[in-house]
Amino acid sequence: MSRSAHPAGPRHADVLHEGHYAAPPADLNALDEKVWSRTVTRDADGALTVGGIGVARLAEEFGTPAYFLDESDFRARCRAWSDAFGGDADVFYAGKAFLSRAVVRWLQEEGLNLDVCSGGELTTALDAGMPAERIAFHGNNKSLAEIERAVGLGVGRIVLDSFQEIVRVAGAAQRLGRRQRVQIRVTVGVEAHTHEFIATAHEDQKFGIALAGGQAAEAVRRTLTLDSLELIGIHSHIGSQIFDMAGFEVSARRVVQLLAEVRDEHGVELPEIDLGGGLGIAYTSDDDPREPHEIAKALSDIVTRECEASGLATPRISVEPGRAIVGPTAFTLYEVGTIKPLEGLRTYVSVDGGMSDNIRTALYDAEYSVALVSRTSDAEPMLVRVVGKHCESGDIVVKDAFLPADLAPGDLIAVPATGAYCRSMASNYNHSLRPPVVAVRDGEARVIVRRETEEDLLSLDVG
Ligand code: LLP
């Protein structure tokens, strides 16, 4: 078959898939702290508050749909990651999860570094004052202009992703009279247990240079011959939304093996290894993520053990969490528009956003939770599918969940854990206006990314 397609409805409107909540939760009004940001609670009237502010006020002031980001939670998670790894490791926040100038400033204040993967992310970082030497530049097809700019600015490291890029970065550094610090991204042959589109270290995909067949060793060989490059280490990122540490262990072991081969062949001990990001978060109560200190301990134990076995000094470790820092810190607030009970199936609840503010459900079959947040309710649970307002039957925000049966148009519902890869992957599909991101902290709320306007749309359309 030269192409595959699925008809508009059936793939999404199928019977309940395996692993979904078989039964409604015991208490529909409860807010599971695993999936909600840390300052979220219900006030005396039962309405959800974040950073001390109630959702009714937030909806009135900022409109819906909107993302509300719990700033103190974001900062606490940054600190938890850097404390967990201590002074012997570097934490690079992966900006692709969500990046704005305010976020860049918080990262600096909390002592984190930043991973960017495009000229746009680089511009945002620099504009908000992130020092270039604290930036890592990623991407499997960086343009020549992006490379020249990154080298010219003196970014702390460029992660080389292909043989062509070794030559391109070396050329740019030579032209600019610089010696650029680089890492080589390798694919270690680990099949991470996650969705195919977000697994990145098995061999049949576009990122990195394979350890298999001596490819990565050859990349090291070539890089070491180029005077304008300083090879500081090896990089591996195995995928996203991963709970099982086994994949990281195999990855760390294989990267250390490569370091040992490099020492044996070239007499050089590379000083760093980067184990990437990809740590999972709780989207529903069924998910059980690991804490940063457990992850740090597991990773540093394995690296130390493997290095001792190979007689290598332990390299400095870096990690690149994106989702694990920002994901749990935000929720999306929607207003209920229409409610359509489908006899014997489920009730479709349409909200004022959809796949334009959260593409993850349509793209990865991602699971989310949802709660009625403008009030509590004692009504019976009803099985719902929360859908958006786009012209697409796959426009689903939450596939299967329970909401109270007295849900009514005008109620506010919220989807937690939307801090990562929701605003950053948002689109203007159907000429919708991308929602704002509002940071909430200690009783104050401020817009950090404003809502798009129709003027924004028209300003790009030059007629
Ligand atoms: N480092 C590298 C080299 C990466 O490619 C990524 C993510 C990260 C770090 C951060 O991964 P995290 O800790 O956030 O999982 N859009 C997908 C995820 C794609 C991630 C791409 N790279 C999603 O919504 O699940």
Side-chain angles (χ1 to χ4, degrees), residues 351-398:
V351 294
D352 45 0
M355 66 194 301
S356 55
D357 59 70
N358 186 352
I359 190 67
R360 299 193 68 261
T361 308
L363 195 55
Y364 313 122
D365 244 4
E367 305 219 6
Y368 281 92
S369 324
V370 61
L372 169 61
V373 292
S374 42
R375 60 187 174 91
T376 49
S377 164
D378 295 328
E380 289 298 298
M382 101 181 139
L383 179 64
V384 300
R385 175 160 288 175
V386 179
V387 296
K389 59 182 291 174
H390 297 284
C391 301
E392 190 99 31
S393 56
D395 172 24
I396 296 169
V397 181
V398 185

Side-chain angles (χ1 to χ4, degrees), residues 61-121:
E61 197 170 332
F62 303 103
T64 54
Y67 308 98
F68 292 97
L69 199 164
D70 193 336
E71 181 183 336
S72 52
D73 191 10
F74 183 96
R75 289 175 180 273
R77 286 174 196 276
C78 289
R79 285 196 294 275
W81 275 88
S82 54
D83 291 351
F85 281 90
D88 300 332
D90 299 299
V91 181
F92 285 77
Y93 169 75
K96 66 208 82 183
F98 172 65
L99 197 66
S100 77
R101 290 187 283 195
V103 163
V104 174
R105 283 191 287 271
W106 301 341
L107 294 171
Q108 286 175 79
E109 285 162 14
E110 302 303 340
L112 265 63
N113 307 290
L114 177 62
D115 140 13
V116 302
C117 66
S118 71
E121 289 183 359

Side-chain angles (χ1 to χ4, degrees), residues 302-363:
I302 180 87
V303 171
T304 307
R305 197 163 64 236
E306 293 299 314
C307 286
E308 270 169 14
S310 310
L312 287 164
T314 306
R316 192 172 175 85
I317 298 176
S318 48
V319 286
E320 297 170 338
R323 181 191 329 259
I325 291 179
V326 72
T329 69
F331 62 82
T332 314
L333 188 65
Y334 300 103
E335 185 178 304
V336 173
T338 64
I339 298 175
K340 221 179 259 185
L342 298 189
E343 200 58 44
L345 287 171
R346 74 190 92 232
T347 296
Y348 276 74
V349 174
S350 295
V351 294
D352 45 0
M355 66 194 301
S356 55
D357 59 70
N358 186 352
I359 190 67
R360 299 193 68 261
T361 308
L363 195 55

